[in-house]
Every structure is written in structure tokens, then in C-alpha cells.
Amino acid sequence: MASNATDEIAFDFRPYFILYKDGHVDRLTENDFVPPSLNPEGVSSKDVAIIPELGVSARLFLPKLDAGDPHRKLTILVYFHGGGFCFVSAFCSLVHGYLTSIVTEANVIAVSIDFRRFPEHTLPAAYDDCWAALQWVASHSAGEAEPWLSEHGDFDRITIIGDSAGGNIVHNMAMRAGREEVGRGVKLDGAIFGHPYFCGAEAVGDEVKYPEKKAQGDYIWMLTNPTTVGLDDPQINPIAVGGPSLSGLGCARVLLCVAGNDILRDRGLLYYERLRSSGWKGTVELLESEAEEHVFHLYNPTRENARIIMPHIVSFLN
């Protein structure tokens, strides 16, 4: 029997997603929806619309407030999930559990952004959504509608964080924050990069030994951003010749995490070195998890090295 466009595969990226020629996608991992919850004994969460007409929304997390100081202002953590700009969401168990742990340990407010994804929307939609969401968070410094932020958030301590493609988004948001105003009188304090997704036309480090892995990452970028200038686009290769200097990074502090067995490790290390030598006035800390795979701390949070990462994040936030 002849196949039709609904079952003809254009790109098979199992176990993560399958793209079909008619444009629809099967997202195969971490799409289980976890509802928000109000929990006066621990972390509470709720979902809010940011740009309803575009479907951009967020899940907010609020820690248990100190009964002796219920009006204490808390660090605001804005999270951008990974998934190759295609899969994972702000509402899946993987992200919900991870942010609940950070909020519990660090006693911060967290805002997990759910942005538009490929293939329904190509880049730069995700970048635009995340910037709009960041500005929405900052708007609460003037007392906008969401009380968890306006009443409990410290707008001098906004940190952005993301893993994999989310780490790429962190870079692009921090660079934009160096060029544009996040909010009136609001600046980013910190940025946490979790195994950030970068690539480039010329292979570096282990990419030379594992060209098939590099090709996979390269293809994801070209697939999700059809208007890109290529693999040396500064959005995906921040150290490309002729790109903007990392001295323009619009935050005061950076925590950069890499994993020893991750094909993206060497690009993370190059980013770290280039940031240090760029003339940027902030401080950067590097945390390497030896003999670990890409974003292992999300999928295996009880591993010893994953338990080491959490105190670094907590210390950075506080």
C-alpha cells in the first residue's frame, strides 16, 4: 500500500521526536502534563498566560513563605527549557520536578516559560517569546497584575537559567539584555547555563572524533531556523569570527555547567574562555561534571554529580 504524507518521515530523531513530511511532529519524551498545585506546606505552582494570542505562557513556583517575614523579597529565577526548540514543555514532569527542587532548596520564585516550538513555529519565535516573557516578568517591578511576582519578587535579583537549547536561549537573552532594556530600571543579575547548545561550521574538540554527533546538532539548528545565515550565526555560535563580543553580555554573574561526556562540552569551555578574555566586567564560574552525559542532572537527579550541581545553583542564587 502506498504511503501518504501523514506517515512519511522527514526527520527521525528518536527517542526525542519524529518530523513528518506534512509538518506534524510526534514528540516522544517528557510530554506528560503535570498540573500546578497550591501547597501551603511546600512549593505552590500555578499557570499564567503571558501572550494568549500566541499561546505563550508560564508556570510560576512560590516557596513556602517565612511566617516571621512573609514580605521578604525573593530572587526571581526565569527558566527556559531545553529540547532542541522542539520538544519538552514548561508543564512536563521533568521540568516541574526540577524547578520544584530548586525552589525548595534555594527559596526563590521561579517562572518556567512555555514558548512556541518547532515545527509549528520556526526560530526566532522561541527567542522572541522568551524575551517578551522576560519583559513581562520585569514589568511586575511596577506592580503589575501577578501578585506572586509583584509582592514577593526582588527585581534587583533576576537570574535566567536554561539547559541545552534553553542554555542557548539564556545566552541570547543575556546578549539582548546588554543591548536593550529588560524593564524600566530592571537589569539581569545572573545567568546559569546548563550544558548549553552551541555549534559552529568548524569542528572543535570531540566534534572531530564524533562527526555524526556534531552533524545531528548542526541539523537541528538548520532545521529549526530556516532563515539562519548558517552554523556560524552568532545565535548558535557565540564565538564566531565577526560576531558580537561577549563583553556585551547583559548580566553581572554567570555559572556555566558542562558535562565531561557531552559532545557540547568543548564549545562550553570555549565560551567560558572567550567570556573571560572578552573584557566583560562580570564574574564567571565553571562547573564540570566529569564522565557525565548531556543534561544528566535532569534525567538522573539523584546521581552524585547531580547532587553536586544543586548546591552550586543554590549558592549562586543566594
Side-chain angles (χ1 to χ4, degrees):
M1 180 181 296
S3 62
N4 56 49
T6 61
D7 57 18
E8 291 183 14
I9 294 175
F11 182 58
D12 192 334
F13 194 42
R14 294 181 230 208
Y16 304 109
F17 67 85
I18 303 171
L19 173 65
Y20 295 86
K21 289 185 177 180
D22 70 348
H24 85 274
V25 64
D26 286 339
R27 296 184 174 93
L28 305 175
T29 63
E30 305 306 335
N31 267 331
D32 53 319
F33 177 84
V34 175
S37 60
L38 295 175
N39 182 3
E41 300 305 316
V43 175
S44 295
S45 59
K46 65 179 175 181
D47 297 340
V48 297
I50 297 177
I51 312 176
E53 62 272 22
L54 296 180
V56 181
S57 57
R59 175 159 293 178
L60 274 60
F61 297 80
L62 184 71
K64 182 180 180 180
L65 300 175
D66 184 350
D69 188 10
H71 301 295
R72 175 189 173 191
K73 298 297 185 180
L74 305 174
T75 293
I76 300 171
L77 183 66
V78 182
Y79 182 78
F80 307 117
H81 68 75
F85 307 108
C86 179
F87 59 100
V88 182
S89 81
F91 313 120
C92 70
S93 61
L94 186 77
V95 172
H96 183 91
Y98 180 54
L99 286 178
T100 298
S101 295
I102 293 178
V103 170
T104 300
E105 296 292 331
N107 196 43
V108 298
I109 298 170
V111 186
S112 180
I113 309 304
D114 202 62
F115 48 83
R116 287 175 292 172
R117 299 177 296 176
F118 180 86
E120 295 87 350
H121 305 279
T122 58
L123 291 171
Y127 293 142
D128 293 340
D129 293 349
C130 290
W131 180 253
L134 191 56
Q135 290 189 308
W136 176 83
V137 170
S139 73
H140 290 79
S141 66
E144 293 295 330
E146 178 44 59
W148 283 11
L149 289 169
S150 59
E151 295 178 10
H152 303 294
D154 184 343
F155 293 90
D156 291 326
R157 292 190 295 158
I158 297 178
T159 290
I160 55 178
I161 179 175
D163 296 287
S164 194
N168 174 281
I169 293 173
V170 165
H171 163 74
N172 283 285
M173 296 304 100
M175 289 298 289
R176 190 164 177 175
R179 303 188 305 266
E180 302 177 31
E181 189 175 66
V182 179
R184 183 173 298 178
V186 176
K187 295 183 179 181
L188 294 183
D189 176 41
I192 302 175
F193 295 75
H195 308 172
Y197 167 45
F198 299 133
C199 59
E202 183 178 350
V204 300
D206 279 352
E207 292 176 351
V208 176
K209 295 188 291 184
Y210 303 105
E212 71 289 346
K213 288 186 177 180
K214 172 174 166 41
Q216 190 177 68
D218 293 351
Y219 186 79
I220 288 293
W221 172 251
M222 300 301 293
L223 184 71
T224 57
N225 193 355
T227 62
T228 182
V229 297
L231 295 175
D232 284 335
D233 187 323
Q235 292 178 313
I236 194 64
N237 185 3
I239 62 172
V241 175
S245 170
L246 294 182
S247 64
L249 205 68
C251 60
R253 301 181 301 124
V254 163
L255 172 61
L256 177 62
C257 304
V258 298
N261 290 345
D262 184 2
I263 191 69
L264 300 177
R265 168 188 177 270
D266 295 296
R267 290 200 177 271
L269 296 180
L270 285 172
Y271 186 94
Y272 170 73
E273 294 297 341
R274 188 65 60 87
L275 181 60
R276 291 180 66 197
S277 62
S278 68
W280 177 63
K281 303 302 182 182
T283 58
V284 55
E285 174 188 355
L286 176 68
L287 177 61
E288 179 169 2
S289 303
E290 295 184 0
E292 294 290 0
E293 302 291 340
H294 187 60
V295 296
F296 75 96
H297 56 290
L298 294 181
Y299 291 96
N300 298 287
T302 61
R303 288 177 69 91
E304 181 179 355
N305 280 334
R307 292 199 300 268
I308 291 172
I309 291 176
M310 184 62 76
H312 279 81
I313 292 176
V314 172
S315 176
F316 186 87
L317 293 173
N318 291 290

